[in-house]
């Protein structure tokens, strides 16, 4: 098949021209067309080092009981060599390859073959076929929302196995954790590379492709907005939602089973991590329709950032607390445990309510009550690539009147709670909150840049009305 000709690269308008109140020019508000040196340096750094960061954390737990300093000290002082660490690392095994292949095949089958029935039987749950947001090229994609069903079936089978059938040990994930890491990497790189080739040679929608002229940026941030195979296999929806997020709660359960097997009990810290993270995961699937309107689905293109990130980074680094607690079975005092629980629940409440307010506001086109009052609205205009003008609204009250991303603030409180559940013995379990602060701050800045390009002077009016991003009075 002939390669599609590369579109000439229009420049992204500078935020200053936007702040001056010029109307945004059409179709330029998706992900960047040009790469600045900072983005390129970040992309190169992540492509080179992210796989080693994951390996380092998992190896540190496996060989050094989750100490981050001990392997560094050992290597620097010559007590061990990198080759010794590598030699002690479990290799890829046939058993892990079989488990991983079966897992991914099962999730693909649940995603593609099973039409959603949950929305027919669960009051308040919205599933079935739903529409995404308008893409920069002016397309509205349709999605089969069946993630809750996939999560429930997978977990029912897990508990049926653990409590009744004993087909396999519930510690199976922990026992194959490093061999499975190699499988996840193979899938992550394979899918990202396939998405890149597909973007050049047979894109699903050529008008929603973006090329920056920089190979590494294209590979990492993706070319195609919505790569699909057939009608229902949407890469972004599948890899973002499954297999990584469905696995998240199973991985935690496997860690709890391992703690029980090794130490004869499951600690209250492990219960807290399992419960708080399960609430977050279940919330994700219960609100999967809302997820169609988030940045991942509405704005990000599908490349290594999402493909490899969903296969490797998410399941391995978001579950570090549970892994840590297998090696360090921390039993928290009651006040400490209650404090962690309250912080986690409060963070979750803010996260959910902020997201709910925006969703309600957008669904009802502002005809709703936010904190029992008529919402404050900023009216906006923008254009899509086909030159069509569109109208939108920004919410400037409720949590969205406190700060422009208070949903991130709630999320970060929850992240901190998971880390605090692990006590103060080691730095490793705190990596998650440090990483999330960097991720969400960067995401906030990235989103604001995109919104400024999309809405022009209307966005400037919004930032004047709500001056802070994450914490009122601070940032
Ligand atoms: P948001 O849900 O905040 O979506 C941002 C988009 O919402 C903007 O691009 C804009 O889109 C629209 N918007 C912005 N301000 C307003 C407003 N005042 N009123 C109405 N619409 C507005 O961001 P995310 O998609 O990043 O996050 C969704 C949730 O997922 C968050 O709670 C976040 O914490 C969580 N998250 C978790 C991650 C994890 O790894 N655990 C990673 C990323 C996110 P438009 O163009 O439509 O105007």
């Amino acid at each position: 098949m002939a390669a599609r000709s590369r579109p000439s690269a229009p420049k992204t308008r500078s935020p200053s021209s936007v702040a001056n109140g010029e109307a945004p020019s059409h179709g330029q508000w998706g992900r960047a067309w040009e790469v600045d040196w900072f983005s390129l340096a970040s992309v190169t750094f992540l492509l080179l080092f992210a796989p080693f960061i994951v390996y380092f954390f998992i190896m540190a737990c496996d060989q050094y009981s989750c100490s981050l300093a001990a392997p560094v000290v050992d290597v620097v002082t010559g007590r061990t060599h990198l080759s010794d660490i590598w030699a002690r690392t479990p290799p890829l095994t046939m058993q892990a390859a079989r488990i991983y292949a079966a897992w991914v095949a099962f999730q693909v089958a649940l995603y593609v073959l099973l039409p959603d029935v949950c929305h027919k039987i669960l009051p308040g749950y919205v599933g079935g076929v739903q529409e995404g947001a308008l893409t920069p090229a002016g397309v509205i994609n349709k999605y089969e929302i069946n993630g809750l069903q996939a999560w429930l079936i997978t977990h029912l089978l897990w508990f049926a196995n653990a409590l009744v059938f004993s087909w396999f040990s519930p510690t199976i994930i922990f026992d194959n954790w490093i061999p499975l890491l190699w499988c996840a990497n193979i899938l992550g790189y394979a899918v990202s590379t396939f998405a890149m080739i597909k973007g050049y040679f047979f894109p699903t929608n050529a008008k929603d492709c973006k090329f920056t002229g920089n190979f590494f940026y294209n590979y990492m941030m993706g070319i195609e907005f919505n790569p699909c195979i057939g009608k229902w296999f949407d890469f972004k929806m599948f890899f973002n939602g499954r297999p990584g997020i469905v696995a998240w709660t199973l991985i935690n359960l496997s860690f709890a089973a391992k703690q029980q097997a090794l130490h004869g009990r499951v600690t209250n810290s492990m219960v807290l991590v399992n419960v708080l993270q399960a609430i977050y995961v279940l919330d994700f699937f219960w609100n999967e329709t809302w997820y169609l309107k988030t940045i991942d689905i509405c704005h990000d293109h599908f490349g290594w950032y999402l493909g490899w990130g969903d296969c490797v980074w998410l399941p391995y680094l978001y579950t570090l607390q549970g892994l840590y607690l297998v090696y360090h079975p921390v039993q928290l005092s009651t006040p400490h445990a209650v404090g962690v629980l309250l912080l986690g629940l409060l963070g979750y409440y803010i996260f959910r309510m902020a997201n709910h307010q925006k969703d309600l506001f957008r669904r009802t086109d502002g005809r709703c009550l936010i904190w029992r009052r008529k919402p404050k609205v900023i009216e906006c205009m923008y254009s899509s690539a086909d030159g069509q003008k569109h109208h939108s609204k920004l919410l400037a009250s409720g949590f969205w009147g406190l700060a422009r991303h208070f949903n991130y603030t709630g999320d970060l409180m929850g992240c901190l709670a998971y880390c605090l559940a692990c006590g103060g013995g080691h730095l490793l379990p705190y990596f998650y909150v440090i990483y999330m602060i960097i991720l969400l701050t960067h995401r906030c800045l990235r989103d604001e840049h995109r919104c400024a390009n999309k809405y022009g002077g209307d966005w400037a009016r919004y930032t004047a009305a709500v001056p802070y991003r994450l914490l009122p009075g601070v940032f």
Side-chain angles (χ1 to χ4, degrees), residues 110-147:
L110 289 177
Y111 177 70
V112 178
L113 301 179
L114 277 192
D116 184 63
V117 294
C118 284
H119 71 285
K120 295 187 181 145
I121 51 180
L122 295 174
Y125 169 70
V126 182
V129 179
Q130 298 292 330
E131 288 186 344
L134 188 75
T135 71
V139 176
I140 294 187
N141 293 301
K142 287 200 158 103
Y143 300 88
E144 170 79 28
I145 297 297
N146 60 7

mmCIF file of all heavy atoms in Angstrom, residues 110-147:
data_model
loop_
_atom_site.group_PDB
_atom_site.id
_atom_site.type_symbol
_atom_site.label_atom_id
_atom_site.label_comp_id
_atom_site.label_asym_id
_atom_site.label_seq_id
_atom_site.Cartn_x
_atom_site.Cartn_y
_atom_site.Cartn_z
ATOM 1 N N LEU A 110 -13.126 -10.518 25.806
ATOM 2 C CA LEU A 110 -14.167 -9.825 26.593
ATOM 3 C C LEU A 110 -14.490 -8.460 25.984
ATOM 4 O O LEU A 110 -15.639 -8.011 25.981
ATOM 5 C CB LEU A 110 -13.698 -9.618 28.039
ATOM 6 C CG LEU A 110 -13.603 -10.864 28.917
ATOM 7 C CD1 LEU A 110 -13.063 -10.498 30.295
ATOM 8 C CD2 LEU A 110 -14.958 -11.550 29.075
ATOM 9 N N TYR A 111 -13.461 -7.801 25.455
ATOM 10 C CA TYR A 111 -13.626 -6.453 24.895
ATOM 11 C C TYR A 111 -14.403 -6.484 23.576
ATOM 12 O O TYR A 111 -15.305 -5.685 23.351
ATOM 13 C CB TYR A 111 -12.235 -5.844 24.691
ATOM 14 C CG TYR A 111 -12.234 -4.475 24.051
ATOM 15 C CD1 TYR A 111 -12.701 -3.366 24.746
ATOM 16 C CD2 TYR A 111 -11.752 -4.284 22.766
ATOM 17 C CE1 TYR A 111 -12.690 -2.108 24.169
ATOM 18 C CE2 TYR A 111 -11.732 -3.030 22.179
ATOM 19 C CZ TYR A 111 -12.208 -1.945 22.887
ATOM 20 O OH TYR A 111 -12.195 -0.703 22.306
ATOM 21 N N VAL A 112 -14.062 -7.459 22.725
ATOM 22 C CA VAL A 112 -14.613 -7.453 21.365
ATOM 23 C C VAL A 112 -15.910 -8.253 21.256
ATOM 24 O O VAL A 112 -16.843 -7.861 20.558
ATOM 25 C CB VAL A 112 -13.568 -8.033 20.366
ATOM 26 C CG1 VAL A 112 -14.139 -8.082 18.963
ATOM 27 C CG2 VAL A 112 -12.303 -7.209 20.377
ATOM 28 N N LEU A 113 -15.962 -9.378 21.977
ATOM 29 C CA LEU A 113 -17.058 -10.316 21.701
ATOM 30 C C LEU A 113 -18.301 -10.116 22.557
ATOM 31 O O LEU A 113 -19.402 -10.476 22.140
ATOM 32 C CB LEU A 113 -16.564 -11.765 21.876
ATOM 33 C CG LEU A 113 -15.392 -12.171 20.974
ATOM 34 C CD1 LEU A 113 -14.971 -13.599 21.253
ATOM 35 C CD2 LEU A 113 -15.781 -12.021 19.499
ATOM 36 N N LEU A 114 -18.116 -9.569 23.780
ATOM 37 C CA LEU A 114 -19.270 -9.538 24.688
ATOM 38 C C LEU A 114 -19.977 -8.187 24.686
ATOM 39 O O LEU A 114 -19.440 -7.214 25.225
ATOM 40 C CB LEU A 114 -18.821 -9.823 26.118
ATOM 41 C CG LEU A 114 -18.646 -11.270 26.539
ATOM 42 C CD1 LEU A 114 -18.503 -11.339 28.051
ATOM 43 C CD2 LEU A 114 -19.809 -12.137 26.096
ATOM 44 N N PRO A 115 -21.151 -8.086 24.068
ATOM 45 C CA PRO A 115 -21.872 -6.816 24.175
ATOM 46 C C PRO A 115 -22.249 -6.569 25.631
ATOM 47 O O PRO A 115 -22.492 -7.508 26.391
ATOM 48 C CB PRO A 115 -23.109 -7.025 23.296
ATOM 49 C CG PRO A 115 -23.181 -8.471 23.007
ATOM 50 C CD PRO A 115 -21.875 -9.118 23.355
ATOM 51 N N ASP A 116 -22.275 -5.308 26.023
ATOM 52 C CA ASP A 116 -22.492 -4.984 27.428
ATOM 53 C C ASP A 116 -23.914 -5.317 27.882
ATOM 54 O O ASP A 116 -24.881 -4.944 27.232
ATOM 55 C CB ASP A 116 -22.232 -3.490 27.638
ATOM 56 C CG ASP A 116 -22.342 -3.111 29.091
ATOM 57 O OD1 ASP A 116 -21.529 -3.622 29.868
ATOM 58 O OD2 ASP A 116 -23.249 -2.337 29.437
ATOM 59 N N VAL A 117 -24.019 -6.046 28.992
ATOM 60 C CA VAL A 117 -25.364 -6.278 29.564
ATOM 61 C C VAL A 117 -25.521 -5.519 30.891
ATOM 62 O O VAL A 117 -26.631 -5.357 31.383
ATOM 63 C CB VAL A 117 -25.689 -7.779 29.790
ATOM 64 C CG1 VAL A 117 -25.790 -8.524 28.493
ATOM 65 C CG2 VAL A 117 -24.663 -8.441 30.708
ATOM 66 N N CYS A 118 -24.398 -5.029 31.439
ATOM 67 C CA CYS A 118 -24.464 -4.364 32.749
ATOM 68 C C CYS A 118 -25.428 -3.175 32.731
ATOM 69 O O CYS A 118 -26.134 -2.930 33.712
ATOM 70 C CB CYS A 118 -23.089 -3.890 33.176
ATOM 71 S SG CYS A 118 -22.040 -5.219 33.753
ATOM 72 N N HIS A 119 -25.451 -2.428 31.617
ATOM 73 C CA HIS A 119 -26.307 -1.234 31.604
ATOM 74 C C HIS A 119 -27.788 -1.595 31.618
ATOM 75 O O HIS A 119 -28.626 -0.758 31.931
ATOM 76 C CB HIS A 119 -25.977 -0.323 30.414
ATOM 77 C CG HIS A 119 -26.390 -0.858 29.081
ATOM 78 N ND1 HIS A 119 -25.718 -1.865 28.428
ATOM 79 C CD2 HIS A 119 -27.407 -0.517 28.270
ATOM 80 C CE1 HIS A 119 -26.298 -2.116 27.269
ATOM 81 N NE2 HIS A 119 -27.324 -1.321 27.148
ATOM 82 N N LYS A 120 -28.097 -2.878 31.312
ATOM 83 C CA LYS A 120 -29.506 -3.285 31.357
ATOM 84 C C LYS A 120 -29.912 -3.701 32.768
ATOM 85 O O LYS A 120 -31.085 -3.685 33.107
ATOM 86 C CB LYS A 120 -29.740 -4.464 30.406
ATOM 87 C CG LYS A 120 -29.512 -4.086 28.952
ATOM 88 C CD LYS A 120 -29.913 -5.210 28.026
ATOM 89 C CE LYS A 120 -29.647 -4.790 26.598
ATOM 90 N NZ LYS A 120 -29.212 -5.874 25.745
ATOM 91 N N ILE A 121 -28.936 -4.122 33.565
ATOM 92 C CA ILE A 121 -29.309 -4.651 34.882
ATOM 93 C C ILE A 121 -28.845 -3.793 36.070
ATOM 94 O O ILE A 121 -29.344 -3.952 37.174
ATOM 95 C CB ILE A 121 -28.792 -6.110 35.073
ATOM 96 C CG1 ILE A 121 -27.299 -6.192 34.732
ATOM 97 C CG2 ILE A 121 -29.580 -7.098 34.248
ATOM 98 C CD1 ILE A 121 -26.710 -7.593 34.899
ATOM 99 N N LEU A 122 -27.899 -2.885 35.840
ATOM 100 C CA LEU A 122 -27.397 -2.088 36.977
ATOM 101 C C LEU A 122 -27.954 -0.668 36.907
ATOM 102 O O LEU A 122 -27.596 0.096 36.001
ATOM 103 C CB LEU A 122 -25.866 -2.036 36.964
ATOM 104 C CG LEU A 122 -25.140 -3.362 37.188
ATOM 105 C CD1 LEU A 122 -23.638 -3.200 37.009
ATOM 106 C CD2 LEU A 122 -25.426 -3.905 38.589
ATOM 107 N N PRO A 123 -28.843 -0.288 37.834
ATOM 108 C CA PRO A 123 -29.423 1.056 37.792
ATOM 109 C C PRO A 123 -28.337 2.122 37.927
ATOM 110 O O PRO A 123 -27.431 1.980 38.747
ATOM 111 C CB PRO A 123 -30.360 1.094 39.003
ATOM 112 C CG PRO A 123 -30.347 -0.262 39.605
ATOM 113 C CD PRO A 123 -29.277 -1.080 38.977
ATOM 114 N N GLY A 124 -28.398 3.152 37.113
ATOM 115 C CA GLY A 124 -27.455 4.266 37.206
ATOM 116 C C GLY A 124 -26.190 4.063 36.393
ATOM 117 O O GLY A 124 -25.414 5.003 36.210
ATOM 118 N N TYR A 125 -25.966 2.851 35.913
ATOM 119 C CA TYR A 125 -24.734 2.608 35.152
ATOM 120 C C TYR A 125 -24.993 2.844 33.661
ATOM 121 O O TYR A 125 -25.976 2.354 33.110
ATOM 122 C CB TYR A 125 -24.254 1.169 35.385
ATOM 123 C CG TYR A 125 -23.140 0.755 34.441
ATOM 124 C CD1 TYR A 125 -21.864 1.295 34.558
ATOM 125 C CD2 TYR A 125 -23.373 -0.172 33.422
ATOM 126 C CE1 TYR A 125 -20.859 0.932 33.683
ATOM 127 C CE2 TYR A 125 -22.375 -0.547 32.544
ATOM 128 C CZ TYR A 125 -21.115 0.007 32.680
ATOM 129 O OH TYR A 125 -20.110 -0.351 31.809
ATOM 130 N N VAL A 126 -24.090 3.618 33.015
ATOM 131 C CA VAL A 126 -24.242 3.906 31.587
ATOM 132 C C VAL A 126 -23.199 3.101 30.820
ATOM 133 O O VAL A 126 -22.006 3.327 30.950
ATOM 134 C CB VAL A 126 -24.017 5.415 31.298
ATOM 135 C CG1 VAL A 126 -24.235 5.708 29.828
ATOM 136 C CG2 VAL A 126 -24.940 6.256 32.159
ATOM 137 N N GLY A 127 -23.658 2.112 30.036
ATOM 138 C CA GLY A 127 -22.727 1.320 29.225
ATOM 139 C C GLY A 127 -23.275 1.195 27.816
ATOM 140 O O GLY A 127 -24.013 2.066 27.353
ATOM 141 N N GLY A 128 -22.904 0.111 27.127
ATOM 142 C CA GLY A 128 -23.371 -0.077 25.757
ATOM 143 C C GLY A 128 -22.651 0.867 24.811
ATOM 144 O O GLY A 128 -21.580 1.382 25.118
ATOM 145 N N VAL A 129 -23.253 1.138 23.656
ATOM 146 C CA VAL A 129 -22.577 1.965 22.646
ATOM 147 C C VAL A 129 -22.712 3.448 23.021
ATOM 148 O O VAL A 129 -23.819 3.947 23.220
ATOM 149 C CB VAL A 129 -23.169 1.703 21.247
ATOM 150 C CG1 VAL A 129 -22.483 2.594 20.207
ATOM 151 C CG2 VAL A 129 -23.000 0.240 20.874
ATOM 152 N N GLN A 130 -21.557 4.120 23.134
ATOM 153 C CA GLN A 130 -21.547 5.545 23.517
ATOM 154 C C GLN A 130 -20.647 6.331 22.565
ATOM 155 O O GLN A 130 -19.749 5.762 21.957
ATOM 156 C CB GLN A 130 -21.018 5.715 24.949
ATOM 157 C CG GLN A 130 -21.859 5.024 26.002
ATOM 158 C CD GLN A 130 -23.221 5.655 26.189
ATOM 159 O OE1 GLN A 130 -23.390 6.850 25.984
ATOM 160 N NE2 GLN A 130 -24.206 4.839 26.558
ATOM 161 N N GLU A 131 -20.892 7.643 22.499
ATOM 162 C CA GLU A 131 -20.093 8.480 21.605
ATOM 163 C C GLU A 131 -18.960 9.171 22.350
ATOM 164 O O GLU A 131 -19.133 9.625 23.480
ATOM 165 C CB GLU A 131 -20.982 9.556 20.981
ATOM 166 C CG GLU A 131 -21.930 8.971 19.958
ATOM 167 C CD GLU A 131 -22.711 10.042 19.228
ATOM 168 O OE1 GLU A 131 -22.744 11.188 19.712
ATOM 169 O OE2 GLU A 131 -23.281 9.726 18.175
ATOM 170 N N GLY A 132 -17.808 9.271 21.684
ATOM 171 C CA GLY A 132 -16.689 10.040 22.223
ATOM 172 C C GLY A 132 -16.871 11.511 21.879
ATOM 173 O O GLY A 132 -17.907 11.916 21.346
ATOM 174 N N ALA A 133 -15.821 12.309 22.159
ATOM 175 C CA ALA A 133 -15.902 13.745 21.852
ATOM 176 C C ALA A 133 -15.539 13.980 20.387
ATOM 177 O O ALA A 133 -14.990 13.105 19.716
ATOM 178 C CB ALA A 133 -14.943 14.505 22.751
ATOM 179 N N LEU A 134 -15.841 15.174 19.915
ATOM 180 C CA LEU A 134 -15.479 15.567 18.550
ATOM 181 C C LEU A 134 -13.951 15.626 18.429
ATOM 182 O O LEU A 134 -13.294 16.264 19.241
ATOM 183 C CB LEU A 134 -16.072 16.955 18.306
ATOM 184 C CG LEU A 134 -16.006 17.519 16.909
ATOM 185 C CD1 LEU A 134 -17.030 16.839 16.015
ATOM 186 C CD2 LEU A 134 -16.260 19.020 16.944
ATOM 187 N N THR A 135 -13.391 14.946 17.424
ATOM 188 C CA THR A 135 -11.931 14.977 17.251
ATOM 189 C C THR A 135 -11.543 16.257 16.496
ATOM 190 O O THR A 135 -12.416 16.909 15.897
ATOM 191 C CB THR A 135 -11.438 13.763 16.433
ATOM 192 O OG1 THR A 135 -11.851 13.939 15.075
ATOM 193 C CG2 THR A 135 -11.996 12.465 16.978
ATOM 194 N N PRO A 136 -10.252 16.617 16.469
ATOM 195 C CA PRO A 136 -9.857 17.821 15.730
ATOM 196 C C PRO A 136 -10.293 17.780 14.258
ATOM 197 O O PRO A 136 -10.549 18.815 13.657
ATOM 198 C CB PRO A 136 -8.329 17.823 15.852
ATOM 199 C CG PRO A 136 -8.060 17.121 17.131
ATOM 200 C CD PRO A 136 -9.116 16.057 17.232
ATOM 201 N N ALA A 137 -10.387 16.570 13.663
ATOM 202 C CA ALA A 137 -10.804 16.494 12.256
ATOM 203 C C ALA A 137 -12.324 16.560 12.111
ATOM 204 O O ALA A 137 -12.848 16.496 10.998
ATOM 205 C CB ALA A 137 -10.280 15.213 11.633
ATOM 206 N N GLY A 138 -13.030 16.615 13.226
ATOM 207 C CA GLY A 138 -14.481 16.742 13.159
ATOM 208 C C GLY A 138 -15.224 15.415 13.183
ATOM 209 O O GLY A 138 -16.387 15.328 12.789
ATOM 210 N N VAL A 139 -14.566 14.349 13.669
ATOM 211 C CA VAL A 139 -15.190 13.013 13.706
ATOM 212 C C VAL A 139 -15.689 12.730 15.121
ATOM 213 O O VAL A 139 -15.066 13.145 16.101
ATOM 214 C CB VAL A 139 -14.137 11.934 13.330
ATOM 215 C CG1 VAL A 139 -14.703 10.537 13.449
ATOM 216 C CG2 VAL A 139 -13.587 12.197 11.950
ATOM 217 N N ILE A 140 -16.829 12.026 15.221
ATOM 218 C CA ILE A 140 -17.257 11.540 16.546
ATOM 219 C C ILE A 140 -17.215 10.014 16.505
ATOM 220 O O ILE A 140 -17.939 9.388 15.726
ATOM 221 C CB ILE A 140 -18.669 12.039 16.903
ATOM 222 C CG1 ILE A 140 -18.629 13.551 17.075
ATOM 223 C CG2 ILE A 140 -19.175 11.365 18.169
ATOM 224 C CD1 ILE A 140 -19.890 14.175 17.583
ATOM 225 N N ASN A 141 -16.332 9.422 17.309
ATOM 226 C CA ASN A 141 -16.191 7.956 17.319
ATOM 227 C C ASN A 141 -17.206 7.323 18.263
ATOM 228 O O ASN A 141 -17.602 7.927 19.251
ATOM 229 C CB ASN A 141 -14.782 7.575 17.775
ATOM 230 C CG ASN A 141 -13.733 7.996 16.764
ATOM 231 O OD1 ASN A 141 -13.767 7.573 15.618
ATOM 232 N ND2 ASN A 141 -12.834 8.864 17.178
ATOM 233 N N LYS A 142 -17.577 6.073 17.923
ATOM 234 C CA LYS A 142 -18.489 5.319 18.801
ATOM 235 C C LYS A 142 -17.703 4.216 19.512
ATOM 236 O O LYS A 142 -16.789 3.636 18.929
ATOM 237 C CB LYS A 142 -19.595 4.695 17.961
ATOM 238 C CG LYS A 142 -20.603 5.695 17.457
ATOM 239 C CD LYS A 142 -21.878 4.973 17.072
ATOM 240 C CE LYS A 142 -23.017 5.919 17.081
ATOM 241 N NZ LYS A 142 -23.528 6.425 15.936
ATOM 242 N N TYR A 143 -18.077 3.949 20.740
ATOM 243 C CA TYR A 143 -17.378 2.938 21.536
ATOM 244 C C TYR A 143 -18.374 2.010 22.201
ATOM 245 O O TYR A 143 -19.426 2.458 22.658
ATOM 246 C CB TYR A 143 -16.556 3.603 22.661
ATOM 247 C CG TYR A 143 -15.496 4.556 22.173
ATOM 248 C CD1 TYR A 143 -15.804 5.905 21.950
ATOM 249 C CD2 TYR A 143 -14.211 4.122 21.946
ATOM 250 C CE1 TYR A 143 -14.836 6.786 21.511
ATOM 251 C CE2 TYR A 143 -13.231 5.002 21.507
ATOM 252 C CZ TYR A 143 -13.547 6.336 21.290
ATOM 253 O OH TYR A 143 -12.592 7.199 20.853
ATOM 254 N N GLU A 144 -18.015 0.705 22.277
ATOM 255 C CA GLU A 144 -18.816 -0.228 23.078
ATOM 256 C C GLU A 144 -18.251 -0.176 24.496
ATOM 257 O O GLU A 144 -17.103 -0.574 24.744
ATOM 258 C CB GLU A 144 -18.703 -1.644 22.499
ATOM 259 C CG GLU A 144 -19.294 -2.751 23.363
ATOM 260 C CD GLU A 144 -20.818 -2.875 23.269
ATOM 261 O OE1 GLU A 144 -21.386 -2.517 22.220
ATOM 262 O OE2 GLU A 144 -21.431 -3.338 24.261
ATOM 263 N N ILE A 145 -19.043 0.342 25.414
ATOM 264 C CA ILE A 145 -18.574 0.475 26.804
ATOM 265 C C ILE A 145 -18.917 -0.818 27.554
ATOM 266 O O ILE A 145 -20.078 -1.060 27.906
ATOM 267 C CB ILE A 145 -19.270 1.689 27.463
ATOM 268 C CG1 ILE A 145 -18.878 2.971 26.733
ATOM 269 C CG2 ILE A 145 -18.937 1.802 28.944
ATOM 270 C CD1 ILE A 145 -17.412 3.299 26.796
ATOM 271 N N ASN A 146 -17.909 -1.667 27.759
ATOM 272 C CA ASN A 146 -18.178 -2.928 28.475
ATOM 273 C C ASN A 146 -17.065 -3.272 29.467
ATOM 274 O O ASN A 146 -16.856 -4.430 29.804
ATOM 275 C CB ASN A 146 -18.408 -4.077 27.492
ATOM 276 C CG ASN A 146 -17.199 -4.315 26.578
ATOM 277 O OD1 ASN A 146 -16.155 -3.701 26.771
ATOM 278 N ND2 ASN A 146 -17.342 -5.191 25.609
ATOM 279 N N GLY A 147 -16.352 -2.231 29.929
ATOM 280 C CA GLY A 147 -15.227 -2.455 30.836
ATOM 281 C C GLY A 147 -15.655 -2.988 32.198
ATOM 282 O O GLY A 147 -14.977 -3.843 32.770
#
